[in-house]
């Protein structure tokens, strides 16, 4: 669960972007914090942190957490497949991720979707760039 921050693109109608209407297959910006927390806890790899990042005093870092030997082995095995592409990492740094709505949101104000990555993310980044240029 995370918050939908903004509607940024809709293939069918630009009016739906202007009025921020949530419909199926619209591209939205969502809050990155829950995904970032899960990723760092699951893979024990820093994600979307700027160079020279310091942990505030009084807070515990998930990466340096003490674990059992079995837990260490699990995380070591996961690290092999923990690569995140550059565009997605830039979005995690900014705190906003682009996602596509896959359900038909109704009156309840909740919707399901997926995070954009790979060629699909590149396509929509290019679309938004040309849209801002006009």
């Amino acid at each position: 669960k995370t918050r939908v921050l903004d509607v940024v693109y809709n293939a069918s109608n630009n009016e739906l972007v202007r009025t921020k209407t949530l419909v199926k297959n619209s591209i939205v910006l969502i809050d990155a914090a829950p995904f970032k927390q899960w990723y760092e806890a699951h893979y024990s790899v820093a994600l979307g942190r700027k160079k020279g990042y310091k942990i505030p005093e009084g807070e515990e870092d998930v990466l340096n957490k003490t674990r059992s030997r079995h837990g260490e082995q699990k995380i070591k095995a996961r690290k092999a497949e923990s690569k995140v592409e550059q565009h997605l990492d830039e979005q995690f740094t900014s705190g906003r991720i682009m996602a596509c709505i896959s359900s038909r949101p109704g009156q309840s104000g909740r919707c399901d979707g997926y995070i954009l990555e790979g060629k699909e993310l590149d396509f929509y980044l290019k679309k938004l760039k040309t849209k801002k240029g006009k």
Side-chain angles (χ1 to χ4, degrees):
K1 280 187 168 181
T2 186
R3 286 181 69 105
V4 174
L5 301 173
D6 194 11
V7 178
V8 291
Y9 183 78
N10 193 313
S12 62
N13 192 349
N14 208 31
E15 180 79 7
L16 298 175
V17 177
R18 193 177 63 75
T19 58
K20 300 191 186 321
T21 307
L22 296 175
V23 293
K24 186 175 180 180
N25 288 329
S26 60
I27 306 301
V28 294
L29 286 176
I30 59 174
D31 184 27
F35 299 102
K36 190 174 176 179
Q37 286 175 344
W38 176 85
Y39 188 89
E40 289 181 349
H42 192 74
Y43 293 106
S44 189
V45 175
L47 180 66
R49 292 187 181 181
K50 295 177 181 167
K51 291 179 180 170
Y53 175 79
K54 300 249 188 319
I55 302 148
E57 284 189 33
E59 286 188 26
E60 187 181 313
D61 192 13
V62 204
L63 308 178
N64 300 329
K65 186 175 155 187
T66 56
R67 295 183 177 85
S68 65
R69 200 169 355 124
H70 178 69
E72 288 287 338
Q73 288 175 345
K74 278 173 62 174
I75 287 179
K76 188 178 178 185
R78 288 176 185 160
K79 278 189 180 182
E81 59 210 36
S82 65
K83 299 285 182 248
V84 176
E85 57 186 58
Q86 184 188 3
H87 288 300
L88 200 57
D89 194 39
E90 289 170 3
Q91 288 185 339
F92 273 109
T93 306
S94 70
R96 296 169 164 228
I97 308 173
M98 287 177 71
C100 182
I101 297 176
S102 60
S103 64
R104 293 173 61 195
Q107 295 297 315
S108 65
R110 84 166 257 157
C111 59
D112 299 324
Y114 57 92
I115 296 174
L116 297 177
E117 52 188 354
K119 291 184 178 181
E120 194 174 15
L121 176 61
D122 294 338
F123 173 80
Y124 286 113
L125 285 173
K126 196 184 327 177
K127 282 279 191 189
L128 289 173
K129 200 172 194 176
T130 58
K131 191 170 136 185
K132 284 184 181 177
K134 289 182 180 179

